[in-house]
Amino acid sequence: MTKVLTDARSIRIKGRSFLAVVLSPDLPLDDWLKRLDDLAARSAGFFLGRPVVLDVTELAINRTELKELLGELGHRNVSIMGIEGGRPSLVEPGMPPILKGGRPASDFEVAVSETVTEKRGETPPPEPAAIRQALQSLIIREPVRSGQSVVFTEGDVTVIGSVASGAEVIAGGSIHIYGALRGRALAGSVGNASARIFCRKLEAELVAIDGVYKMAEDMPANLRGQPVQWWLEGDSIMAEKLS
């Protein structure tokens, strides 16, 4: 006789969302992949261990081309967790699922007390007009070491110390670094184009405001090692030496 054992305990299922980097390719894909390689080469490890969503909303692509693109990204160690903006017929078993309902946000988002956690809540980001009213601030009273990520999308981030090469600071508002900026600084990450980046010594790998970025080799040579501020003018990121 077969004895059937039953367990009265229920299976706990929770709803949870995780923030991911979103890549939006454009045609021709070969040229876009070359630009992606250039970004990865100049910012080593940027995609390492990060979930990535592939946005094909404005990309005229068929299933075969999508599979080839996913293969190319896989060879580059870019892990695609889902595809946004695609028709259900665009995917087949074994491919990342179609995602819907994504909200614009920064690469990572955390609660005020969880400055290095990648988990986020379900509250949508504020509209740009309301951002300045809702801004808070986070003060880091020690250097940010290589490999660390400080993420605070609710407002400004101030670092009393330096940001090492291989480290990054991501803020919904402005970023103030009272030391050398040797890593990456990404300000205005929830659509705040009025955000700025300030540092006492510019040696950055990358700076970005509202998604507009500039790599180290593209920065003016006369600003290296100087106190600098960055801001946006239209779609261009501008810089000047602080007096």
Side-chain angles (χ1 to χ4, degrees):
M1 181 176 66
T2 303
K3 186 177 181 180
V4 178
L5 299 178
T6 60
D7 191 339
R9 292 177 301 174
S10 61
I11 297 175
R12 181 175 294 180
I13 300 176
K14 296 181 178 181
R16 183 169 297 174
S17 62
F18 293 87
L19 215 63
V21 174
V22 177
L23 288 177
S24 302
D26 50 52
L27 299 174
L29 290 175
D30 287 342
D31 290 347
W32 180 82
L33 286 168
K34 288 178 182 178
R35 300 199 303 274
L36 183 68
D37 289 339
D38 184 54
L39 173 62
R42 293 188 285 179
S43 187
F46 186 80
F47 294 105
L48 187 62
R50 290 182 174 176
V52 179
V53 171
L54 189 65
D55 183 2
V56 297
T57 303
E58 300 181 1
L59 192 64
I61 192 172
N62 58 39
R63 183 187 296 174
T64 300
E65 293 168 330
L66 178 59
K67 289 177 68 175
E68 292 176 353
L69 176 58
L70 291 171
E72 292 290 344
L73 293 171
H75 293 325
R76 292 163 170 80
N77 294 317
V78 178
S79 301
I80 302 298
M81 64 173 287
I83 299 168
E84 185 177 23
R87 307 179 308 277
S89 60
L90 198 59
V91 301
E92 62 182 30
M95 295 174 66
I98 296 292
L99 302 178
K100 295 181 179 180
R103 298 187 181 100
S106 64
D107 292 340
F108 297 95
E109 186 171 6
V110 295
V112 174
S113 61
E114 298 174 331
T115 59
V116 192
T117 306
E118 298 175 12
K119 185 171 63 177
R120 66 183 285 260
E122 290 294 334
T123 304
E127 293 298 323
I131 287 178
R132 287 184 293 276
Q133 300 174 6
L135 286 181
Q136 305 175 51
S137 62
L138 173 70
I139 299 177
I140 306 296
R141 301 182 184 276
E142 57 186 20
V144 182
R145 298 186 297 274
S146 180
Q148 291 184 318
S149 292
V150 173
V151 189
F152 185 75
T153 58
E154 289 83 358
D156 297 351
V157 173
T158 299
V159 180
I160 303 176
S162 296
V163 177
S165 176
E168 66 182 2
V169 177
I170 302 174
S174 297
I175 296 175
H176 306 258
I177 299 171
Y178 291 92
L181 171 57
R182 300 187 177 96
R184 299 185 290 268
L186 297 86
S189 59
V190 291
N192 184 1
S194 64
R196 296 196 174 209
I197 297 172
F198 303 86
C199 65
R200 282 194 172 174
K201 187 177 183 181
L202 177 66
E203 297 177 355
E205 298 169 341
L206 176 148
V207 294
I209 300 175
D210 192 20
V212 181
Y213 71 89
K214 188 174 286 290
M215 305 296 295
E217 47 268 49
D218 300 324
M219 299 177 189
N222 64 314
L223 295 181
R224 303 293 293 183
Q226 302 297 319
V228 174
Q229 70 162 322
W230 298 86
W231 72 96
L232 279 185
E233 285 188 6
D235 292 329
S236 298
I237 188 166
M238 313 296 291
E240 70 177 7
K241 182 179 176 181
L242 290 169
S243 57

